[in-house]
């Protein structure tokens, strides 16, 4: 332990203390111990000791070298240059270094003063999230499901093929455990390790494309400076229990869309309104407010039995979401 900074171990105890405090206050479940095999490897660095330039980062007491100039070895070259702000007045918060199985990543908070600008350019909008289209906006704008694009289909097919190759390699290198029937021991060869790294790189690329697409959508919505944004409180965990749509819902990353939209609205002082979970946005007519109880999932067009309105199902839902704070007397200030 003397080869590394004591802030790493102290912060781990502080994190455990915070987890137990949240548990006893009823904010989270009971904390779980990390597993060496499954958990993500990460450690903390002291904000006073870390030093950052446009091209390098210096971490506290990381090298095990016994030379006098060992501090020089602590300067690590950054793969992405100029991404972290530097300067005398910059204050860093909670730097963490994580390992994803391929590369090491540094994430750090930066404290800076923000100008309050509450001048809204457009009226409020409603966003209907789904599987066929990722997001349908109340102004008629649609954002397609990127997982249906030819590029993503090709990458997913390659990912599936690599998974099968690795599975066959494990079956070729298994040996039966003595004294136990139908119990095998699997040997991880160098070829399996190389194949798994290739699979991780491919999955990271797929995940990066999805995350970047969601970032582009949420940023464009926030930059339009609407007066307020309304989205549904989707039960994603319950939706994933449906075997027919579980994979499509998982690939859409609906929970990630909401999380990104929440903090971007907070940064830009935009009121984000979450509707009641049981609000029937798809079944209500956006023209006369008639509720169509027999609406099926296969009905992609909404046809009102009262006023005869014919409209796209998702667009009708997004318009109802836009009108939600007005009809339910929700504060939009």
């Amino acid at each position: 332990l003397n080869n590394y900074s004591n802030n790493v171990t102290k912060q781990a105890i502080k994190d455990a203390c915070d987890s137990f405090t949240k548990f006893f206050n009823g904010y989270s479940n009971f904390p779980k111990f990390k597993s060496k095999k499954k958990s993500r490897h990460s450690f903390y660095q002291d904000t006073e000791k870390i030093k950052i330039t446009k091209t390098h980062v210096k971490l506290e007491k990381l090298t095990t070298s016994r030379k006098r100039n060992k501090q020089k070895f602590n300067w690590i070259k950054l793969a992405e240059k100029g991404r972290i702000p530097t300067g005398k007045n910059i204050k860093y918060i909670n730097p963490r270094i994580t390992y994803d199985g391929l590369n090491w990543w540094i994430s750090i908070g930066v404290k800076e003063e923000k100008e309050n600008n509450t001048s809204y350019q457009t009226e409020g909008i409603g966003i209907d999230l789904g599987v066929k289209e990722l997001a349908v906006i109340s102004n008629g704008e649609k954002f397609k499901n990127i997982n249906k694009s030819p590029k993503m289909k090709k990458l997913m097919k390659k990912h599936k093929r690599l998974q099968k190759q690795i599975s066959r390699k494990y079956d070729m290198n298994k040996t039966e455990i003595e004294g136990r029937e139908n119990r095998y021991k699997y040997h991880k060869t160098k070829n399996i390790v190389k194949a798994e790294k290739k699979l991780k790189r491919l999955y990271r690329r797929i995940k990066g494309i999805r995350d970047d697409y969601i970032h582009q959508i949420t940023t464009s919505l926030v930059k339009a400076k609407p007066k307020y944004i309304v989205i549904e409180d989707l039960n994603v965990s319950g939706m994933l229990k449906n075997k027919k749509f579980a994979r499509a819902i998982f690939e859409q990353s609906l929970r990630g869309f909401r999380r990104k939209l929440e903090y971007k609205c907070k940064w830009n002082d935009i009121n984000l309104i979450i509707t009641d979970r049981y609000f029937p946005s798809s079944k209500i007519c956006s023209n006369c407010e008639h509720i169509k109880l027999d609406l099926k999932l296969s009905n992609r067009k909404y046809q009102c039995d009262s006023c005869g309105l014919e409209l796209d199902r998702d667009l009708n839902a997004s318009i109802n979401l836009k009108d939600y704070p007005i009809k339910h007397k929700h504060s939009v200030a």
Side-chain angles (χ1 to χ4, degrees):
L1 291 174
N2 290 329
N3 292 330
Y4 303 97
S5 171
N6 63 346
N7 289 310
V8 176
T9 51
K10 284 196 294 185
Q11 188 61 37
I13 297 169
K14 290 178 183 177
D15 292 342
C17 182
D18 291 339
S19 299
F20 277 106
T21 304
K22 290 178 182 178
F23 166 70
F24 288 121
N25 290 333
Y27 296 133
S28 62
N29 295 328
F30 188 81
K32 294 181 180 179
F33 285 99
K34 283 190 175 181
S35 168
K36 289 183 179 180
K37 295 180 180 179
K38 297 180 181 180
S39 299
R40 184 176 63 174
H41 301 287
S42 64
F43 63 93
Y44 170 84
Q45 278 288 297
D46 188 12
T47 53
E48 300 296 329
K49 303 291 179 66
I50 193 170
K51 294 181 181 179
I52 299 173
T53 65
K54 290 184 178 180
T55 56
H56 290 76
V57 58
K58 187 177 184 180
L59 304 178
E60 178 194 8
K61 198 178 178 183
L62 186 64
T63 180
T64 56
S65 173
R66 296 184 179 180
K67 295 181 180 179
R68 291 182 180 179
N69 61 344
K70 65 179 181 179
Q71 291 298 322
K72 292 182 180 179
F73 292 96
N74 290 353
W75 284 100
I76 301 170
K77 192 175 182 180
L78 294 170
E80 298 174 320
K81 300 176 183 178
R83 294 290 299 273
I84 304 174
T86 56
K88 294 181 180 179
N89 298 325
I90 296 292
K91 186 178 180 181
Y92 298 120
I93 304 168
N94 195 24
R96 303 272 176 161
I97 293 87
T98 57
Y99 183 63
D100 64 354
L102 292 171
N103 298 314
W104 288 93
W105 301 82
I106 179 169
S107 60
I108 188 168
V110 181
K111 192 174 183 179
E112 60 180 359
E113 294 183 1
K114 184 180 70 172
E115 296 181 2
N116 292 326
N117 185 12
T118 57
S119 58
Y120 304 112
Q121 295 179 356
T122 59
E123 58 181 0
I125 59 172
I127 304 173
D128 181 67
L129 301 176
V131 176
K132 185 179 179 182
E133 306 285 347
L134 175 59
V136 178
I137 317 302
S138 56
N139 57 13
E141 191 176 4
K142 292 184 179 181
F143 295 98
K144 65 179 183 179
N145 183 352
I146 195 173
N147 297 298
K148 293 182 179 179
S149 64
K151 182 180 179 180
M152 287 297 290
K153 284 183 177 180
K154 188 177 179 181
L155 290 174
M156 289 301 298
K157 189 176 181 181
K158 188 177 179 181
H159 183 267
K160 191 175 181 179
R161 189 162 57 245
L162 277 172
Q163 284 182 319
K164 288 181 179 179
Q165 288 178 6
I166 293 170
S167 179
R168 285 196 295 268
K169 287 179 186 293
Y170 271 113
D171 287 335
M172 289 169 61
N173 293 279
K174 69 179 181 180
T175 54
E176 190 173 354
I177 300 174
E178 294 182 3
R180 292 188 179 183
E181 294 183 359
N182 299 324
R183 295 297 299 272
Y184 300 95
K185 185 177 181 181
Y186 295 90
H187 302 280
K188 186 178 282 191
T189 61
K190 290 183 179 180
N191 284 333
I192 293 175
V193 172
K194 285 191 286 185
E196 285 180 343
K197 283 186 177 180
K198 191 176 180 181
L199 184 68
K200 285 180 181 179
R201 282 194 293 268
L202 181 61
Y203 181 73
R204 192 182 68 187
R205 186 184 174 191
I206 293 169
K207 190 176 183 300
I209 292 171
R210 289 173 182 162
D211 289 343
D212 181 64
Y213 183 61
I214 294 174
H215 272 298
Q216 289 179 19
I217 295 172
T218 50
T219 302
S220 65
L221 293 171
V222 171
K223 278 187 176 180
K225 292 186 178 179
K227 193 174 182 180
Y228 60 88
I229 297 176
V230 186
I231 60 172
E232 290 179 293
D233 184 18
L234 297 174
N235 182 15
V236 180
S237 300
M239 293 164 70
L240 289 172
K241 292 178 182 179
N242 189 331
K243 295 180 180 179
K244 293 182 179 179
F245 302 104
R247 182 177 176 182
I249 293 167
F250 175 78
E251 290 175 351
Q252 286 290 70
S253 187
L254 301 178
R255 190 181 284 116
F257 187 98
R258 173 177 168 174
R259 184 180 62 83
K260 291 177 177 64
L261 193 63
E262 280 178 342
Y263 70 75
K264 288 180 182 180
C265 286
K266 191 176 180 180
W267 287 350
N268 293 272
D269 297 321
I270 297 172
N271 191 11
L272 180 66
I273 300 169
I274 312 296
T275 66
D276 180 59
R277 177 163 288 187
Y278 302 103
F279 176 66
S281 59
S282 299
K283 296 181 179 181
I284 300 175
C285 176
S286 58
N287 185 34
C288 66
E289 299 185 21
H290 172 75
I291 299 177
K292 189 174 183 178
L293 298 174
D294 59 344
L295 185 69
K296 297 179 181 178
L297 192 63
S298 58
N299 301 133
R300 301 315 306 171
K301 274 197 174 184
Y302 184 89
Q303 294 180 344
C304 182
D305 300 330
S306 179
C307 66
L309 175 72
E310 287 190 11
L311 194 65
D312 180 72
R313 175 200 179 102
D314 297 332
L315 181 59
N316 179 67
S318 62
I319 294 171
N320 287 325
L321 291 171
K322 176 192 171 184
D323 298 336
Y324 178 83
I326 301 169
K327 294 176 182 178
H328 291 76
K329 296 180 180 180
H330 198 287
S331 175
V332 294

